[in-house]
């Protein structure tokens, strides 16, 4: 059994497969569906939040590509779905380089199958908790020139990093490797959202492949230390450069998206 399949466990809810379930995908197992439905029972808006998060990723990548970014490092990429980073970037800037990074063996199998014939992309197994190993991975350094601006994407992944794992230091390591003019894209579940949904989500994810650590707006803002936030700043998912094509109706307002997001530029 190789390294990428050794960690496969269909009996333990898996964060990538849970997200796939919320998005209406098909790559999940009974344990994932059961866990997801327990959360959806108290937070039905999570399905819309997952779609809004995916839409934010697309808007952010387009924004970066239009700003001149031609290389992207997507860490914690999750299971491939429609409008992946390389597809979005290519519409604005054909020839962009994209490296996908994930720790999950299920993600690796799917991503490599999807991207087998895609030029300008690479997929590596890496742990966000060990950013130096990601930055020094030969496939990363072959695809990305860190002396030029790069877009680093941490979309719906930092809330799986516990405070004891020093999230601030992780991002600082990435920031120090990024050239001036680079961008950091973050979306993050927040404890400022509805208490019942937050509590239930934290409880369910405690028994999943990665525990959930929700943070306050203030704490998430601190993760952007060393970056200048692009307008409109740190906002709810539907509020970041909204586009009519991906408008998602949250009956109780933007805060029902449960996730804050922002894009920072390194001066």
């Amino acid at each position: 059994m190789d390294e990428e399949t050794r960690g496969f466990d269909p009996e333990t809810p898996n964060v990538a497969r849970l997200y796939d379930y919320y998005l209406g995908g098909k790559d999940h197992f009974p344990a994932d569906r059961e866990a997801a439905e327990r959360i959806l029972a108290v937070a039905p808006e999570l399905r819309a939040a997952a779609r809004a998060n995916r839409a934010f990723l697309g808007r952010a990548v387009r924004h970066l590509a239009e700003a001149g970014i031609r290389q992207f490092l997507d860490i914690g990429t999750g299971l491939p779905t429609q409008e992946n980073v390389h597809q979005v970037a290519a519409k604005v800037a054909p020839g962009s380089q994209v490296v996908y990074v994930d720790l999950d063996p299920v993600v690796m199998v799917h991503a490599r199958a999807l991207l087998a014939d895609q030029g300008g992309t690479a997929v590596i197994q890496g742990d966000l908790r060990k950013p130096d190993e990601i930055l020094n991975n030969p496939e990363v350094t072959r695809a990305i020139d860190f002396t030029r601006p790069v877009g680093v994407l941490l979309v719906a992944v930092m809330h799986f990093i516990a405070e004891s794992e020093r999230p601030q230091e992780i991002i600082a390591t990435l920031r120090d490797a990024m050239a001036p003019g680079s961008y950091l894209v973050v979306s993050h579940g927040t404890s400022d959202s509805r208490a019942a949904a937050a509590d239930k989500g934290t409880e369910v994810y405690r028994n999943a492949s990665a525990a959930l650590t929700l943070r306050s707006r203030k704490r998430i803002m601190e993760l952007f230390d060393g970056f200048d936030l692009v307008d409109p700043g740190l906002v709810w998912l539907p509020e970041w450069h909204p586009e009519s094509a991906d408008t998602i109706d949250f009956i109780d307002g933007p805060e029902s998206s449960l996730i804050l997001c922002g894009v920072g530029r390194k001066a």
Side-chain angles (χ1 to χ4, degrees):
M1 184 179 295
D2 63 30
E3 182 180 353
E4 286 181 8
T5 57
R6 189 178 299 123
F8 178 73
D9 177 9
E11 301 302 322
T12 298
N14 172 284
V15 297
R17 298 194 303 258
L18 286 168
Y19 187 49
D20 180 70
Y21 183 79
Y22 303 142
L23 287 171
K26 56 180 175 50
D27 297 309
H28 39 72
F29 294 99
D32 307 305
R33 295 190 285 273
E34 180 183 347
E37 288 296 339
R38 290 207 305 274
I39 299 175
L40 290 168
V42 295
E45 64 269 44
L46 192 53
R47 285 190 188 277
R51 297 199 308 273
N53 186 68
R54 195 71 191 176
F56 161 70
L57 171 64
R59 297 196 303 274
V61 169
R62 282 194 295 276
H63 182 91
L64 268 56
E66 290 168 356
I69 298 298
R70 298 294 179 265
Q71 45 185 6
F72 299 83
L73 182 61
D74 183 7
I75 305 177
T77 181
L79 285 163
T81 182
Q82 295 181 344
E83 293 294 287
N84 297 290
V85 173
H86 69 283
Q87 295 165 320
V88 176
K91 292 179 181 178
V92 177
S96 295
Q97 296 288 315
V98 179
V99 177
Y100 294 102
V101 184
D102 208 286
L103 183 62
D104 192 306
V106 178
V107 169
M108 299 305 296
V109 170
H110 282 266
R112 288 199 165 131
L114 176 72
L115 302 173
D117 59 350
Q118 295 289 330
T121 65
V123 182
I124 72 160
Q125 190 163 28
D127 188 345
L128 179 56
R129 298 166 184 82
K130 302 174 182 177
D132 282 317
E133 292 185 10
I134 294 174
L135 294 168
N136 294 312
N137 183 288
E139 291 191 64
V140 174
T141 57
R142 186 161 46 245
I144 293 180
D145 177 3
F146 284 100
T147 67
R148 298 189 296 114
V150 59
V152 174
L153 313 175
L154 300 176
V155 176
V157 65
M158 287 304 297
H159 47 230
F160 295 117
I161 302 295
E163 283 297 317
S164 62
E165 293 166 325
R166 301 179 177 179
Q168 201 89 25
E169 292 183 21
I170 290 171
I171 292 183
T173 299
L174 295 170
R175 182 193 66 223
D176 291 347
M178 297 161 66
S182 295
Y183 289 84
L184 175 71
V185 177
V186 174
S187 64
H188 196 305
T190 177
S191 52
D192 292 353
S193 59
R194 291 195 301 118
D199 291 346
K200 187 63 175 180
T202 302
E203 174 192 334
V204 171
Y205 277 94
R206 192 174 296 123
N207 297 313
S209 58
L212 187 65
T213 300
L214 301 177
R215 295 183 170 90
S216 67
R217 177 184 290 270
K218 179 178 181 296
R219 182 71 186 102
I220 297 170
M221 184 73 78
E222 291 171 354
L223 299 179
F224 283 97
D225 185 40
F227 295 91
D228 297 324
L229 276 171
V230 172
D231 286 338
L234 184 64
V235 295
W236 298 105
L237 290 171
E239 297 177 325
W240 200 90
H241 292 260
E243 297 175 358
S244 58
D246 57 23
T247 298
I248 297 171
D249 184 27
F250 288 95
I251 296 175
D252 295 327
E255 63 273 15
S256 297
S257 67
L258 309 174
I259 293 174
L260 291 168
C261 63
V263 174
R265 184 179 185 276
K266 181 176 177 181

